[in-house]
Amino acid sequence: WSLHGGGNYADSSFTPYVYGRFDFGVALPLHHSSIWLRSYAGGADGDKDDEFANFFFGSFRNNWVDHLDVKRYREPFAFPGFNIDRLNGRTFAKGVLELKLPPVQFRHAGTAEFFLSWARPAIFAMVLSTNPEDDNDEYYNIGTQIDFQFQMLSRLPLTFSVGYAYATRDGGKSDNEIMASLKIL
């Protein structure tokens, strides 16, 4: 679990915010697999039309070449399937159900200088509710991500990730996203 607080100062006005996260996971009978329920909630003080009083959601949030965590869809403001920062709300609640499947190990994929060690798939589904005290926009998605762990020169790990997500808005518009990212070190 975690709790974060802060504020935005713009146009001589301070807008405080707070958001938190709670994760709970259970190991499955299949070796090296688990299921997780991740929950997030937060709010800001201010007018919902003020961009400094809003949280913004969307995308896997991975860069093409990255140095951060490969599973960025777990971050509070990620929502794969919609473009980055496309969704917003002054208050929000988000739930994520994630199934982590066992990695597939490779014994002979590559050369001594560059080889594939393993691939690990994950499947996730999310629900996001923004501004539940007002009009309560709801969004849903389902997606997958596979991470491929490579070793270069026996000591330098590289992770190539690919992902896909389909997202929809309650009562309407849908979108999808394809993600590819290379984590260096």
Side-chain angles (χ1 to χ4, degrees):
W1 68 271
S2 65
L3 185 63
H4 305 270
N8 295 313
Y9 184 78
D11 296 331
S12 301
S13 177
F14 181 74
T15 305
Y17 64 82
V18 65
Y19 66 91
R21 154 189 203 157
F22 179 76
D23 298 345
F24 178 76
V26 176
L28 296 176
L30 188 60
H31 288 293
H32 305 289
S33 64
S34 58
I35 191 161
W36 287 82
L37 178 61
R38 304 178 191 283
S39 55
Y40 310 83
D45 185 34
D47 184 49
K48 74 176 186 173
D49 295 327
D50 179 6
E51 62 269 10
F52 294 106
N54 276 267
F55 299 95
F56 292 89
F57 305 88
S59 177
F60 277 90
R61 296 195 176 263
N62 294 63
N63 295 309
W64 286 99
V65 177
D66 214 332
H67 69 284
L68 300 173
D69 184 35
V70 294
K71 301 233 185 266
R72 306 267 295 275
Y73 64 83
R74 294 178 181 162
E75 293 182 358
F77 308 114
F79 201 84
F82 285 113
N83 289 335
I84 193 165
D85 296 341
R86 176 153 178 235
L87 314 174
N88 68 294
R90 192 177 60 80
T91 59
F92 74 94
K94 176 180 155 185
V96 179
L97 184 63
E98 178 185 16
L99 174 62
K100 293 173 56 176
L101 298 170
V104 176
Q105 305 238 345
F106 299 96
R107 293 183 190 267
H108 306 289
T111 66
E113 295 83 23
F114 184 75
F115 59 93
L116 176 60
S117 300
W118 50 260
R120 179 160 197 157
I123 301 168
F124 58 86
M126 300 180 190
V127 60
L128 169 67
S129 177
T130 59
N131 301 317
E133 70 283 354
D134 294 331
D135 50 5
N136 194 30
D137 293 325
E138 289 187 356
Y139 307 91
Y140 308 92
N141 76 3
I142 187 164
T144 187
Q145 180 172 320
I146 303 173
D147 303 316
F148 298 91
Q149 176 78 52
F150 291 90
Q151 295 292 326
M152 187 167 65
L153 303 175
S154 299
R155 300 221 183 254
L156 301 172
L158 302 171
T159 305
F160 179 68
S161 302
V162 293
Y164 174 79
Y166 172 82
T168 185
R169 180 179 181 168
D170 188 27
K173 202 169 194 175
S174 64
D175 209 344
N176 61 59
E177 177 185 9
I178 297 172
M179 180 273 299
S181 178
L182 177 64
K183 178 181 177 180
I184 299 176
L185 305 175

